[in-house]
Amino acid sequence: QVQLVESGGDSVEAGGSLRLTCTISGYDYKNLCMGWFRQAPGKEREGIATMMTGGGSAYYAVGEDRFNITHDKSKQSLYLFLDSLKPDDTGIYYCAADLAAAAYVCPKPSWCYCRVNLMDRYWGQGTQVTVSS
């Protein structure tokens, strides 16, 4: 059984930083699309960033100037570094994973990425991030 477990959410003041962690178990870590999503109060869930565990560049849907997604194969963990946080960043942050075969797309031969709206197979329970002004 595949499990994604997020941690690291907290309450911080505007301008602060956080590191979110997602650990995956129950599945071969190779060639997975993994990513971070968030849902603000009263809003729809949106994709933040994705990456493929088999290699390649990260893809940022939002916040490329303030957020950084990385992963550690040895720990089967995905991370999201949040910097210069704003009150609008408040929400529940979710980790998601899907098969690379389902979500990894190459619009151009030199550009491949994990597409956020194709990732819907495995989800974590979410971790709350609250940013106060």
Side-chain angles (χ1 to χ4, degrees), residues 13-40:
E13 293 185 350
S17 301
L18 286 173
R19 187 186 79 163
L20 307 183
T21 301
C22 171
T23 302
I24 185 168
S25 61
Y27 194 84
D28 186 356
Y29 190 74
K30 297 177 184 178
N31 297 324
L32 273 179
C33 277
M34 295 190 72
W36 289 96
F37 295 70
R38 68 182 178 186
Q39 187 165 20

Side-chain angles (χ1 to χ4, degrees), residues 24-126:
I24 185 168
S25 61
Y27 194 84
D28 186 356
Y29 190 74
K30 297 177 184 178
N31 297 324
L32 273 179
C33 277
M34 295 190 72
W36 289 96
F37 295 70
R38 68 182 178 186
Q39 187 165 20
K43 295 186 178 180
E44 293 187 355
R45 186 171 58 200
E46 66 174 348
I48 300 173
T50 66
M51 65 187 312
M52 215 269 277
T53 58
S57 301
Y59 171 80
Y60 292 88
V62 299
E64 186 172 4
D65 57 332
R66 300 186 293 120
F67 303 158
N68 185 38
I69 186 172
T70 63
H71 75 105
D72 185 332
K73 289 183 179 180
S74 66
K75 297 181 179 180
Q76 296 200 167
S77 293
L78 183 75
Y79 305 99
L80 184 67
F81 294 86
L82 306 171
D83 196 21
S84 302
L85 283 163
K86 306 173 182 178
D88 285 348
D89 294 318
T90 294
I92 301 174
Y93 284 66
Y94 296 93
C95 175
D98 210 317
L99 305 179
Y104 196 61
V105 297
C106 296
K108 301 178 182 179
S110 59
W111 183 40
C112 298
Y113 68 101
C114 294
R115 190 166 167 179
V116 293
N117 62 351
L118 295 180
M119 293 178 59
D120 197 30
R121 193 176 300 265
Y122 306 113
W123 292 89
Q125 83 288 349

